[in-house]
Every structure is written in structure tokens, then in C-alpha cells.
mmCIF file with all atom_site columns, all heavy atoms in Angstrom:
data_model
loop_
_atom_site.group_PDB
_atom_site.id
_atom_site.type_symbol
_atom_site.label_atom_id
_atom_site.label_alt_id
_atom_site.label_comp_id
_atom_site.label_asym_id
_atom_site.label_entity_id
_atom_site.label_seq_id
_atom_site.pdbx_PDB_ins_code
_atom_site.Cartn_x
_atom_site.Cartn_y
_atom_site.Cartn_z
_atom_site.occupancy
_atom_site.B_iso_or_equiv
_atom_site.pdbx_formal_charge
_atom_site.auth_seq_id
_atom_site.auth_comp_id
_atom_site.auth_asym_id
_atom_site.auth_atom_id
_atom_site.pdbx_PDB_model_num
ATOM 1   N N   . ILE Y 1 1  ? 172.530 -24.860 39.794 1.00 0.00 ? 1  ILE Y N   1
ATOM 2   C CA  . ILE Y 1 1  ? 173.320 -26.031 40.189 1.00 0.00 ? 1  ILE Y CA  1
ATOM 3   C C   . ILE Y 1 1  ? 172.969 -26.449 41.607 1.00 0.00 ? 1  ILE Y C   1
ATOM 4   O O   . ILE Y 1 1  ? 172.796 -27.638 41.910 1.00 0.00 ? 1  ILE Y O   1
ATOM 5   C CB  . ILE Y 1 1  ? 174.828 -25.755 40.031 1.00 0.00 ? 1  ILE Y CB  1
ATOM 6   C CG1 . ILE Y 1 1  ? 175.179 -25.665 38.547 1.00 0.00 ? 1  ILE Y CG1 1
ATOM 7   C CG2 . ILE Y 1 1  ? 175.658 -26.836 40.717 1.00 0.00 ? 1  ILE Y CG2 1
ATOM 8   C CD1 . ILE Y 1 1  ? 176.602 -25.225 38.269 1.00 0.00 ? 1  ILE Y CD1 1
ATOM 9   N N   . THR Y 1 2  ? 172.820 -25.459 42.498 1.00 0.00 ? 2  THR Y N   1
ATOM 10  C CA  . THR Y 1 2  ? 172.453 -25.750 43.888 1.00 0.00 ? 2  THR Y CA  1
ATOM 11  C C   . THR Y 1 2  ? 171.082 -26.407 43.957 1.00 0.00 ? 2  THR Y C   1
ATOM 12  O O   . THR Y 1 2  ? 170.889 -27.393 44.675 1.00 0.00 ? 2  THR Y O   1
ATOM 13  C CB  . THR Y 1 2  ? 172.478 -24.461 44.731 1.00 0.00 ? 2  THR Y CB  1
ATOM 14  O OG1 . THR Y 1 2  ? 173.764 -23.880 44.643 1.00 0.00 ? 2  THR Y OG1 1
ATOM 15  C CG2 . THR Y 1 2  ? 172.130 -24.736 46.172 1.00 0.00 ? 2  THR Y CG2 1
ATOM 16  N N   . VAL Y 1 3  ? 170.109 -25.889 43.209 1.00 0.00 ? 3  VAL Y N   1
ATOM 17  C CA  . VAL Y 1 3  ? 168.762 -26.466 43.196 1.00 0.00 ? 3  VAL Y CA  1
ATOM 18  C C   . VAL Y 1 3  ? 168.816 -27.889 42.625 1.00 0.00 ? 3  VAL Y C   1
ATOM 19  O O   . VAL Y 1 3  ? 168.196 -28.813 43.166 1.00 0.00 ? 3  VAL Y O   1
ATOM 20  C CB  . VAL Y 1 3  ? 167.800 -25.579 42.374 1.00 0.00 ? 3  VAL Y CB  1
ATOM 21  C CG1 . VAL Y 1 3  ? 166.489 -26.298 42.095 1.00 0.00 ? 3  VAL Y CG1 1
ATOM 22  C CG2 . VAL Y 1 3  ? 167.546 -24.280 43.102 1.00 0.00 ? 3  VAL Y CG2 1
ATOM 23  N N   . PHE Y 1 4  ? 169.590 -28.096 41.547 1.00 0.00 ? 4  PHE Y N   1
ATOM 24  C CA  . PHE Y 1 4  ? 169.707 -29.409 40.933 1.00 0.00 ? 4  PHE Y CA  1
ATOM 25  C C   . PHE Y 1 4  ? 170.326 -30.412 41.905 1.00 0.00 ? 4  PHE Y C   1
ATOM 26  O O   . PHE Y 1 4  ? 169.819 -31.522 42.086 1.00 0.00 ? 4  PHE Y O   1
ATOM 27  C CB  . PHE Y 1 4  ? 170.545 -29.326 39.647 1.00 0.00 ? 4  PHE Y CB  1
ATOM 28  C CG  . PHE Y 1 4  ? 170.768 -30.642 38.994 1.00 0.00 ? 4  PHE Y CG  1
ATOM 29  C CD1 . PHE Y 1 4  ? 169.743 -31.283 38.311 1.00 0.00 ? 4  PHE Y CD1 1
ATOM 30  C CD2 . PHE Y 1 4  ? 171.996 -31.280 39.082 1.00 0.00 ? 4  PHE Y CD2 1
ATOM 31  C CE1 . PHE Y 1 4  ? 169.946 -32.513 37.722 1.00 0.00 ? 4  PHE Y CE1 1
ATOM 32  C CE2 . PHE Y 1 4  ? 172.208 -32.506 38.499 1.00 0.00 ? 4  PHE Y CE2 1
ATOM 33  C CZ  . PHE Y 1 4  ? 171.181 -33.131 37.809 1.00 0.00 ? 4  PHE Y CZ  1
ATOM 34  N N   . ILE Y 1 5  ? 171.409 -30.024 42.561 1.00 0.00 ? 5  ILE Y N   1
ATOM 35  C CA  . ILE Y 1 5  ? 172.068 -30.913 43.530 1.00 0.00 ? 5  ILE Y CA  1
ATOM 36  C C   . ILE Y 1 5  ? 171.141 -31.220 44.699 1.00 0.00 ? 5  ILE Y C   1
ATOM 37  O O   . ILE Y 1 5  ? 171.056 -32.357 45.157 1.00 0.00 ? 5  ILE Y O   1
ATOM 38  C CB  . ILE Y 1 5  ? 173.406 -30.307 44.007 1.00 0.00 ? 5  ILE Y CB  1
ATOM 39  C CG1 . ILE Y 1 5  ? 174.412 -30.334 42.860 1.00 0.00 ? 5  ILE Y CG1 1
ATOM 40  C CG2 . ILE Y 1 5  ? 173.951 -31.055 45.217 1.00 0.00 ? 5  ILE Y CG2 1
ATOM 41  C CD1 . ILE Y 1 5  ? 175.708 -29.626 43.149 1.00 0.00 ? 5  ILE Y CD1 1
ATOM 42  N N   . SER Y 1 6  ? 170.405 -30.222 45.156 1.00 0.00 ? 6  SER Y N   1
ATOM 43  C CA  . SER Y 1 6  ? 169.454 -30.440 46.250 1.00 0.00 ? 6  SER Y CA  1
ATOM 44  C C   . SER Y 1 6  ? 168.353 -31.406 45.831 1.00 0.00 ? 6  SER Y C   1
ATOM 45  O O   . SER Y 1 6  ? 167.967 -32.299 46.594 1.00 0.00 ? 6  SER Y O   1
ATOM 46  C CB  . SER Y 1 6  ? 168.826 -29.120 46.687 1.00 0.00 ? 6  SER Y CB  1
ATOM 47  O OG  . SER Y 1 6  ? 169.803 -28.250 47.173 1.00 0.00 ? 6  SER Y OG  1
ATOM 48  N N   . ALA Y 1 7  ? 167.849 -31.270 44.613 1.00 0.00 ? 7  ALA Y N   1
ATOM 49  C CA  . ALA Y 1 7  ? 166.795 -32.159 44.120 1.00 0.00 ? 7  ALA Y CA  1
ATOM 50  C C   . ALA Y 1 7  ? 167.316 -33.593 43.998 1.00 0.00 ? 7  ALA Y C   1
ATOM 51  O O   . ALA Y 1 7  ? 166.640 -34.548 44.399 1.00 0.00 ? 7  ALA Y O   1
ATOM 52  C CB  . ALA Y 1 7  ? 166.263 -31.659 42.785 1.00 0.00 ? 7  ALA Y CB  1
ATOM 53  N N   . VAL Y 1 8  ? 168.509 -33.757 43.452 1.00 0.00 ? 8  VAL Y N   1
ATOM 54  C CA  . VAL Y 1 8  ? 169.090 -35.090 43.320 1.00 0.00 ? 8  VAL Y CA  1
ATOM 55  C C   . VAL Y 1 8  ? 169.304 -35.713 44.700 1.00 0.00 ? 8  VAL Y C   1
ATOM 56  O O   . VAL Y 1 8  ? 168.994 -36.887 44.924 1.00 0.00 ? 8  VAL Y O   1
ATOM 57  C CB  . VAL Y 1 8  ? 170.407 -35.028 42.516 1.00 0.00 ? 8  VAL Y CB  1
ATOM 58  C CG1 . VAL Y 1 8  ? 171.166 -36.336 42.608 1.00 0.00 ? 8  VAL Y CG1 1
ATOM 59  C CG2 . VAL Y 1 8  ? 170.132 -34.679 41.059 1.00 0.00 ? 8  VAL Y CG2 1
ATOM 60  N N   . THR Y 1 9  ? 169.813 -34.945 45.642 1.00 0.00 ? 9  THR Y N   1
ATOM 61  C CA  . THR Y 1 9  ? 170.039 -35.432 47.010 1.00 0.00 ? 9  THR Y CA  1
ATOM 62  C C   . THR Y 1 9  ? 168.715 -35.860 47.655 1.00 0.00 ? 9  THR Y C   1
ATOM 63  O O   . THR Y 1 9  ? 168.633 -36.916 48.283 1.00 0.00 ? 9  THR Y O   1
ATOM 64  C CB  . THR Y 1 9  ? 170.721 -34.354 47.864 1.00 0.00 ? 9  THR Y CB  1
ATOM 65  O OG1 . THR Y 1 9  ? 171.927 -33.954 47.217 1.00 0.00 ? 9  THR Y OG1 1
ATOM 66  C CG2 . THR Y 1 9  ? 171.017 -34.850 49.262 1.00 0.00 ? 9  THR Y CG2 1
ATOM 67  N N   . TYR Y 1 10 ? 167.681 -35.053 47.463 1.00 0.00 ? 10 TYR Y N   1
ATOM 68  C CA  . TYR Y 1 10 ? 166.359 -35.377 48.014 1.00 0.00 ? 10 TYR Y CA  1
ATOM 69  C C   . TYR Y 1 10 ? 165.848 -36.701 47.448 1.00 0.00 ? 10 TYR Y C   1
ATOM 70  O O   . TYR Y 1 10 ? 165.395 -37.562 48.197 1.00 0.00 ? 10 TYR Y O   1
ATOM 71  C CB  . TYR Y 1 10 ? 165.369 -34.246 47.708 1.00 0.00 ? 10 TYR Y CB  1
ATOM 72  C CG  . TYR Y 1 10 ? 163.943 -34.609 48.012 1.00 0.00 ? 10 TYR Y CG  1
ATOM 73  C CD1 . TYR Y 1 10 ? 163.483 -34.642 49.329 1.00 0.00 ? 10 TYR Y CD1 1
ATOM 74  C CD2 . TYR Y 1 10 ? 163.056 -34.947 46.995 1.00 0.00 ? 10 TYR Y CD2 1
ATOM 75  C CE1 . TYR Y 1 10 ? 162.178 -34.997 49.616 1.00 0.00 ? 10 TYR Y CE1 1
ATOM 76  C CE2 . TYR Y 1 10 ? 161.751 -35.301 47.270 1.00 0.00 ? 10 TYR Y CE2 1
ATOM 77  C CZ  . TYR Y 1 10 ? 161.317 -35.327 48.578 1.00 0.00 ? 10 TYR Y CZ  1
ATOM 78  O OH  . TYR Y 1 10 ? 160.033 -35.677 48.852 1.00 0.00 ? 10 TYR Y OH  1
ATOM 79  N N   . PHE Y 1 11 ? 165.929 -36.872 46.141 1.00 0.00 ? 11 PHE Y N   1
ATOM 80  C CA  . PHE Y 1 11 ? 165.442 -38.113 45.526 1.00 0.00 ? 11 PHE Y CA  1
ATOM 81  C C   . PHE Y 1 11 ? 166.273 -39.325 45.932 1.00 0.00 ? 11 PHE Y C   1
ATOM 82  O O   . PHE Y 1 11 ? 165.735 -40.414 46.130 1.00 0.00 ? 11 PHE Y O   1
ATOM 83  C CB  . PHE Y 1 11 ? 165.389 -37.971 44.001 1.00 0.00 ? 11 PHE Y CB  1
ATOM 84  C CG  . PHE Y 1 11 ? 164.257 -37.113 43.534 1.00 0.00 ? 11 PHE Y CG  1
ATOM 85  C CD1 . PHE Y 1 11 ? 164.504 -35.937 42.859 1.00 0.00 ? 11 PHE Y CD1 1
ATOM 86  C CD2 . PHE Y 1 11 ? 162.941 -37.476 43.781 1.00 0.00 ? 11 PHE Y CD2 1
ATOM 87  C CE1 . PHE Y 1 11 ? 163.462 -35.134 42.429 1.00 0.00 ? 11 PHE Y CE1 1
ATOM 88  C CE2 . PHE Y 1 11 ? 161.889 -36.682 43.357 1.00 0.00 ? 11 PHE Y CE2 1
ATOM 89  C CZ  . PHE Y 1 11 ? 162.142 -35.499 42.674 1.00 0.00 ? 11 PHE Y CZ  1
ATOM 90  N N   . ILE Y 1 12 ? 167.577 -39.144 46.108 1.00 0.00 ? 12 ILE Y N   1
ATOM 91  C CA  . ILE Y 1 12 ? 168.419 -40.253 46.563 1.00 0.00 ? 12 ILE Y CA  1
ATOM 92  C C   . ILE Y 1 12 ? 168.032 -40.676 47.971 1.00 0.00 ? 12 ILE Y C   1
ATOM 93  O O   . ILE Y 1 12 ? 167.855 -41.865 48.257 1.00 0.00 ? 12 ILE Y O   1
ATOM 94  C CB  . ILE Y 1 12 ? 169.920 -39.883 46.478 1.00 0.00 ? 12 ILE Y CB  1
ATOM 95  C CG1 . ILE Y 1 12 ? 170.363 -39.836 45.012 1.00 0.00 ? 12 ILE Y CG1 1
ATOM 96  C CG2 . ILE Y 1 12 ? 170.767 -40.879 47.262 1.00 0.00 ? 12 ILE Y CG2 1
ATOM 97  C CD1 . ILE Y 1 12 ? 171.773 -39.311 44.815 1.00 0.00 ? 12 ILE Y CD1 1
ATOM 98  N N   . PHE Y 1 13 ? 167.886 -39.715 48.876 1.00 0.00 ? 13 PHE Y N   1
ATOM 99  C CA  . PHE Y 1 13 ? 167.502 -40.049 50.251 1.00 0.00 ? 13 PHE Y CA  1
ATOM 100 C C   . PHE Y 1 13 ? 166.109 -40.660 50.312 1.00 0.00 ? 13 PHE Y C   1
ATOM 101 O O   . PHE Y 1 13 ? 165.855 -41.583 51.086 1.00 0.00 ? 13 PHE Y O   1
ATOM 102 C CB  . PHE Y 1 13 ? 167.597 -38.826 51.160 1.00 0.00 ? 13 PHE Y CB  1
ATOM 103 C CG  . PHE Y 1 13 ? 168.993 -38.526 51.602 1.00 0.00 ? 13 PHE Y CG  1
ATOM 104 C CD1 . PHE Y 1 13 ? 169.575 -37.304 51.323 1.00 0.00 ? 13 PHE Y CD1 1
ATOM 105 C CD2 . PHE Y 1 13 ? 169.743 -39.464 52.298 1.00 0.00 ? 13 PHE Y CD2 1
ATOM 106 C CE1 . PHE Y 1 13 ? 170.868 -37.027 51.722 1.00 0.00 ? 13 PHE Y CE1 1
ATOM 107 C CE2 . PHE Y 1 13 ? 171.033 -39.190 52.708 1.00 0.00 ? 13 PHE Y CE2 1
ATOM 108 C CZ  . PHE Y 1 13 ? 171.592 -37.967 52.408 1.00 0.00 ? 13 PHE Y CZ  1
ATOM 109 N N   . ARG Y 1 14 ? 165.204 -40.154 49.498 1.00 0.00 ? 14 ARG Y N   1
ATOM 110 C CA  . ARG Y 1 14 ? 163.848 -40.705 49.449 1.00 0.00 ? 14 ARG Y CA  1
ATOM 111 C C   . ARG Y 1 14 ? 163.880 -42.156 48.962 1.00 0.00 ? 14 ARG Y C   1
ATOM 112 O O   . ARG Y 1 14 ? 163.213 -43.031 49.525 1.00 0.00 ? 14 ARG Y O   1
ATOM 113 C CB  . ARG Y 1 14 ? 162.980 -39.852 48.541 1.00 0.00 ? 14 ARG Y CB  1
ATOM 114 C CG  . ARG Y 1 14 ? 161.536 -40.229 48.588 1.00 0.00 ? 14 ARG Y CG  1
ATOM 115 C CD  . ARG Y 1 14 ? 160.711 -39.234 47.833 1.00 0.00 ? 14 ARG Y CD  1
ATOM 116 N NE  . ARG Y 1 14 ? 159.754 -39.985 47.038 1.00 0.00 ? 14 ARG Y NE  1
ATOM 117 C CZ  . ARG Y 1 14 ? 159.062 -39.499 46.053 1.00 0.00 ? 14 ARG Y CZ  1
ATOM 118 N NH1 . ARG Y 1 14 ? 159.238 -38.255 45.677 1.00 0.00 ? 14 ARG Y NH1 1
ATOM 119 N NH2 . ARG Y 1 14 ? 158.205 -40.236 45.410 1.00 0.00 ? 14 ARG Y NH2 1
ATOM 120 N N   . THR Y 1 15 ? 164.675 -42.427 47.947 1.00 0.00 ? 15 THR Y N   1
ATOM 121 C CA  . THR Y 1 15 ? 164.813 -43.785 47.426 1.00 0.00 ? 15 THR Y CA  1
ATOM 122 C C   . THR Y 1 15 ? 165.437 -44.704 48.466 1.00 0.00 ? 15 THR Y C   1
ATOM 123 O O   . THR Y 1 15 ? 164.991 -45.837 48.660 1.00 0.00 ? 15 THR Y O   1
ATOM 124 C CB  . THR Y 1 15 ? 165.664 -43.780 46.139 1.00 0.00 ? 15 THR Y CB  1
ATOM 125 O OG1 . THR Y 1 15 ? 165.061 -42.914 45.187 1.00 0.00 ? 15 THR Y OG1 1
ATOM 126 C CG2 . THR Y 1 15 ? 165.784 -45.171 45.557 1.00 0.00 ? 15 THR Y CG2 1
ATOM 127 N N   . LEU Y 1 16 ? 166.477 -44.220 49.152 1.00 0.00 ? 16 LEU Y N   1
ATOM 128 C CA  . LEU Y 1 16 ? 167.113 -45.037 50.195 1.00 0.00 ? 16 LEU Y CA  1
ATOM 129 C C   . LEU Y 1 16 ? 166.142 -45.349 51.325 1.00 0.00 ? 16 LEU Y C   1
ATOM 130 O O   . LEU Y 1 16 ? 166.116 -46.458 51.852 1.00 0.00 ? 16 LEU Y O   1
ATOM 131 C CB  . LEU Y 1 16 ? 168.350 -44.333 50.740 1.00 0.00 ? 16 LEU Y CB  1
ATOM 132 C CG  . LEU Y 1 16 ? 169.572 -44.323 49.827 1.00 0.00 ? 16 LEU Y CG  1
ATOM 133 C CD1 . LEU Y 1 16 ? 170.678 -43.477 50.448 1.00 0.00 ? 16 LEU Y CD1 1
ATOM 134 C CD2 . LEU Y 1 16 ? 170.071 -45.725 49.558 1.00 0.00 ? 16 LEU Y CD2 1
ATOM 135 N N   . ARG Y 1 17 ? 165.356 -44.365 51.722 1.00 0.00 ? 17 ARG Y N   1
ATOM 136 C CA  . ARG Y 1 17 ? 164.383 -44.570 52.791 1.00 0.00 ? 17 ARG Y CA  1
ATOM 137 C C   . ARG Y 1 17 ? 163.350 -45.611 52.360 1.00 0.00 ? 17 ARG Y C   1
ATOM 138 O O   . ARG Y 1 17 ? 162.997 -46.509 53.117 1.00 0.00 ? 17 ARG Y O   1
ATOM 139 C CB  . ARG Y 1 17 ? 163.688 -43.256 53.141 1.00 0.00 ? 17 ARG Y CB  1
ATOM 140 C CG  . ARG Y 1 17 ? 162.896 -43.342 54.413 1.00 0.00 ? 17 ARG Y CG  1
ATOM 141 C CD  . ARG Y 1 17 ? 162.294 -42.034 54.878 1.00 0.00 ? 17 ARG Y CD  1
ATOM 142 N NE  . ARG Y 1 17 ? 162.999 -40.874 54.429 1.00 0.00 ? 17 ARG Y NE  1
ATOM 143 C CZ  . ARG Y 1 17 ? 162.402 -39.790 53.930 1.00 0.00 ? 17 ARG Y CZ  1
ATOM 144 N NH1 . ARG Y 1 17 ? 161.102 -39.727 53.848 1.00 0.00 ? 17 ARG Y NH1 1
ATOM 145 N NH2 . ARG Y 1 17 ? 163.106 -38.744 53.535 1.00 0.00 ? 17 ARG Y NH2 1
ATOM 146 N N   . LYS Y 1 18 ? 162.881 -45.501 51.112 1.00 0.00 ? 18 LYS Y N   1
ATOM 147 C CA  . LYS Y 1 18 ? 161.925 -46.479 50.594 1.00 0.00 ? 18 LYS Y CA  1
ATOM 148 C C   . LYS Y 1 18 ? 162.558 -47.861 50.505 1.00 0.00 ? 18 LYS Y C   1
ATOM 149 O O   . LYS Y 1 18 ? 161.936 -48.871 50.831 1.00 0.00 ? 18 LYS Y O   1
ATOM 150 C CB  . LYS Y 1 18 ? 161.417 -46.051 49.221 1.00 0.00 ? 18 LYS Y CB  1
ATOM 151 C CG  . LYS Y 1 18 ? 160.324 -46.949 48.678 1.00 0.00 ? 18 LYS Y CG  1
ATOM 152 C CD  . LYS Y 1 18 ? 159.797 -46.423 47.372 1.00 0.00 ? 18 LYS Y CD  1
ATOM 153 C CE  . LYS Y 1 18 ? 158.674 -47.225 46.780 1.00 0.00 ? 18 LYS Y CE  1
ATOM 154 N NZ  . LYS Y 1 18 ? 158.644 -48.610 46.982 1.00 0.00 ? 18 LYS Y NZ  1
ATOM 155 N N   . THR Y 1 19 ? 163.826 -47.933 50.106 1.00 0.00 ? 19 THR Y N   1
ATOM 156 C CA  . THR Y 1 19 ? 164.528 -49.206 50.010 1.00 0.00 ? 19 THR Y CA  1
ATOM 157 C C   . THR Y 1 19 ? 164.645 -49.846 51.394 1.00 0.00 ? 19 THR Y C   1
ATOM 158 O O   . THR Y 1 19 ? 164.440 -51.052 51.548 1.00 0.00 ? 19 THR Y O   1
ATOM 159 C CB  . THR Y 1 19 ? 165.924 -49.004 49.394 1.00 0.00 ? 19 THR Y CB  1
ATOM 160 O OG1 . THR Y 1 19 ? 165.777 -48.393 48.118 1.00 0.00 ? 19 THR Y OG1 1
ATOM 161 C CG2 . THR Y 1 19 ? 166.662 -50.307 49.252 1.00 0.00 ? 19 THR Y CG2 1
ATOM 162 N N   . LYS Y 1 20 ? 164.967 -49.053 52.423 1.00 0.00 ? 20 LYS Y N   1
ATOM 163 C CA  . LYS Y 1 20 ? 165.055 -49.590 53.783 1.00 0.00 ? 20 LYS Y CA  1
ATOM 164 C C   . LYS Y 1 20 ? 163.697 -50.105 54.248 1.00 0.00 ? 20 LYS Y C   1
ATOM 165 O O   . LYS Y 1 20 ? 163.593 -51.161 54.857 1.00 0.00 ? 20 LYS Y O   1
ATOM 166 C CB  . LYS Y 1 20 ? 165.564 -48.523 54.752 1.00 0.00 ? 20 LYS Y CB  1
ATOM 167 C CG  . LYS Y 1 20 ? 167.033 -48.252 54.631 1.00 0.00 ? 20 LYS Y CG  1
ATOM 168 C CD  . LYS Y 1 20 ? 167.469 -47.200 55.622 1.00 0.00 ? 20 LYS Y CD  1
ATOM 169 C CE  . LYS Y 1 20 ? 168.939 -46.868 55.449 1.00 0.00 ? 20 LYS Y CE  1
ATOM 170 N NZ  . LYS Y 1 20 ? 169.370 -45.822 56.378 1.00 0.00 ? 20 LYS Y NZ  1
ATOM 171 N N   . TYR Y 1 21 ? 162.646 -49.348 53.925 1.00 0.00 ? 21 TYR Y N   1
ATOM 172 C CA  . TYR Y 1 21 ? 161.298 -49.775 54.298 1.00 0.00 ? 21 TYR Y CA  1
ATOM 173 C C   . TYR Y 1 21 ? 160.954 -51.074 53.580 1.00 0.00 ? 21 TYR Y C   1
ATOM 174 O O   . TYR Y 1 21 ? 160.428 -52.002 54.191 1.00 0.00 ? 21 TYR Y O   1
ATOM 175 C CB  . TYR Y 1 21 ? 160.288 -48.687 53.956 1.00 0.00 ? 21 TYR Y CB  1
ATOM 176 C CG  . TYR Y 1 21 ? 158.858 -49.123 54.173 1.00 0.00 ? 21 TYR Y CG  1
ATOM 177 C CD1 . TYR Y 1 21 ? 158.316 -49.168 55.457 1.00 0.00 ? 21 TYR Y CD1 1
ATOM 178 C CD2 . TYR Y 1 21 ? 158.061 -49.514 53.103 1.00 0.00 ? 21 TYR Y CD2 1
ATOM 179 C CE1 . TYR Y 1 21 ? 157.018 -49.589 55.666 1.00 0.00 ? 21 TYR Y CE1 1
ATOM 180 C CE2 . TYR Y 1 21 ? 156.760 -49.933 53.308 1.00 0.00 ? 21 TYR Y CE2 1
ATOM 181 C CZ  . TYR Y 1 21 ? 156.240 -49.960 54.583 1.00 0.00 ? 21 TYR Y CZ  1
ATOM 182 O OH  . TYR Y 1 21 ? 154.960 -50.382 54.777 1.00 0.00 ? 21 TYR Y OH  1
ATOM 183 N N   . ASP Y 1 22 ? 161.248 -51.150 52.280 1.00 0.00 ? 22 ASP Y N   1
ATOM 184 C CA  . ASP Y 1 22 ? 160.974 -52.363 51.503 1.00 0.00 ? 22 ASP Y CA  1
ATOM 185 C C   . ASP Y 1 22 ? 161.755 -53.550 52.052 1.00 0.00 ? 22 ASP Y C   1
ATOM 186 O O   . ASP Y 1 22 ? 161.239 -54.666 52.096 1.00 0.00 ? 22 ASP Y O   1
ATOM 187 C CB  . ASP Y 1 22 ? 161.313 -52.154 50.024 1.00 0.00 ? 22 ASP Y CB  1
ATOM 188 C CG  . ASP Y 1 22 ? 160.345 -51.201 49.331 1.00 0.00 ? 22 ASP Y CG  1
ATOM 189 O OD1 . ASP Y 1 22 ? 159.264 -50.915 49.902 1.00 0.00 ? 22 ASP Y OD1 1
ATOM 190 O OD2 . ASP Y 1 22 ? 160.679 -50.721 48.221 1.00 0.00 ? 22 ASP Y OD2 1
ATOM 191 N N   . GLU Y 1 23 ? 163.001 -53.318 52.471 1.00 0.00 ? 23 GLU Y N   1
ATOM 192 C CA  . GLU Y 1 23 ? 163.826 -54.393 53.039 1.00 0.00 ? 23 GLU Y CA  1
ATOM 193 C C   . GLU Y 1 23 ? 163.215 -54.900 54.348 1.00 0.00 ? 23 GLU Y C   1
ATOM 194 O O   . GLU Y 1 23 ? 163.147 -56.110 54.583 1.00 0.00 ? 23 GLU Y O   1
ATOM 195 C CB  . GLU Y 1 23 ? 165.253 -53.891 53.270 1.00 0.00 ? 23 GLU Y CB  1
ATOM 196 C CG  . GLU Y 1 23 ? 166.170 -54.900 53.908 1.00 0.00 ? 23 GLU Y CG  1
ATOM 197 C CD  . GLU Y 1 23 ? 166.466 -56.102 53.035 1.00 0.00 ? 23 GLU Y CD  1
ATOM 198 O OE1 . GLU Y 1 23 ? 166.295 -56.022 51.803 1.00 0.00 ? 23 GLU Y OE1 1
ATOM 199 O OE2 . GLU Y 1 23 ? 166.846 -57.146 53.589 1.00 0.00 ? 23 GLU Y OE2 1
ATOM 200 N N   . LYS Y 1 24 ? 162.749 -53.991 55.193 1.00 0.00 ? 24 LYS Y N   1
ATOM 201 C CA  . LYS Y 1 24 ? 162.112 -54.407 56.443 1.00 0.00 ? 24 LYS Y CA  1
ATOM 202 C C   . LYS Y 1 24 ? 160.838 -55.192 56.159 1.00 0.00 ? 24 LYS Y C   1
ATOM 203 O O   . LYS Y 1 24 ? 160.572 -56.215 56.799 1.00 0.00 ? 24 LYS Y O   1
ATOM 204 C CB  . LYS Y 1 24 ? 161.786 -53.189 57.315 1.00 0.00 ? 24 LYS Y CB  1
ATOM 205 C CG  . LYS Y 1 24 ? 162.988 -52.581 57.973 1.00 0.00 ? 24 LYS Y CG  1
ATOM 206 C CD  . LYS Y 1 24 ? 162.597 -51.393 58.830 1.00 0.00 ? 24 LYS Y CD  1
ATOM 207 C CE  . LYS Y 1 24 ? 163.822 -50.754 59.445 1.00 0.00 ? 24 LYS Y CE  1
ATOM 208 N NZ  . LYS Y 1 24 ? 163.470 -49.573 60.246 1.00 0.00 ? 24 LYS Y NZ  1
ATOM 209 N N   . GLU Y 1 25 ? 160.055 -54.719 55.202 1.00 0.00 ? 25 GLU Y N   1
ATOM 210 C CA  . GLU Y 1 25 ? 158.818 -55.414 54.843 1.00 0.00 ? 25 GLU Y CA  1
ATOM 211 C C   . GLU Y 1 25 ? 159.129 -56.800 54.278 1.00 0.00 ? 25 GLU Y C   1
ATOM 212 O O   . GLU Y 1 25 ? 158.452 -57.786 54.608 1.00 0.00 ? 25 GLU Y O   1
ATOM 213 C CB  . GLU Y 1 25 ? 158.039 -54.600 53.808 1.00 0.00 ? 25 GLU Y CB  1
ATOM 214 C CG  . GLU Y 1 25 ? 156.683 -55.183 53.489 1.00 0.00 ? 25 GLU Y CG  1
ATOM 215 C CD  . GLU Y 1 25 ? 155.889 -54.291 52.554 1.00 0.00 ? 25 GLU Y CD  1
ATOM 216 O OE1 . GLU Y 1 25 ? 155.933 -53.061 52.697 1.00 0.00 ? 25 GLU Y OE1 1
ATOM 217 O OE2 . GLU Y 1 25 ? 155.228 -54.857 51.667 1.00 0.00 ? 25 GLU Y OE2 1
#
């Protein structure tokens, strides 16, 4: 469960970071 939650959190933050970059672009 800890590994799953960590993986989901990582992908969410990665997506948000990409979304912010895309918004700036």
C-alpha cells in the first residue's frame, strides 16, 4: 500500500509539473 501510494503521488506530481510547464509554454 505504501509503495502504491508513493507511486501514485509521484505520477500526480510529475503530471502537475508537466502541466505547469505546458501552461507556461
Side-chain angles (χ1 to χ4, degrees):
I1 290 173
T2 303
V3 168
F4 177 74
I5 290 173
S6 298
V8 168
T9 304
Y10 169 76
F11 286 117
I12 288 173
F13 280 121
R14 188 172 136 195
T15 303
L16 286 175
R17 192 174 334 135
K18 185 176 182 327
T19 303
K20 285 181 183 178
Y21 174 78
D22 290 346
E23 177 66 20
K24 286 181 182 178
E25 186 175 321

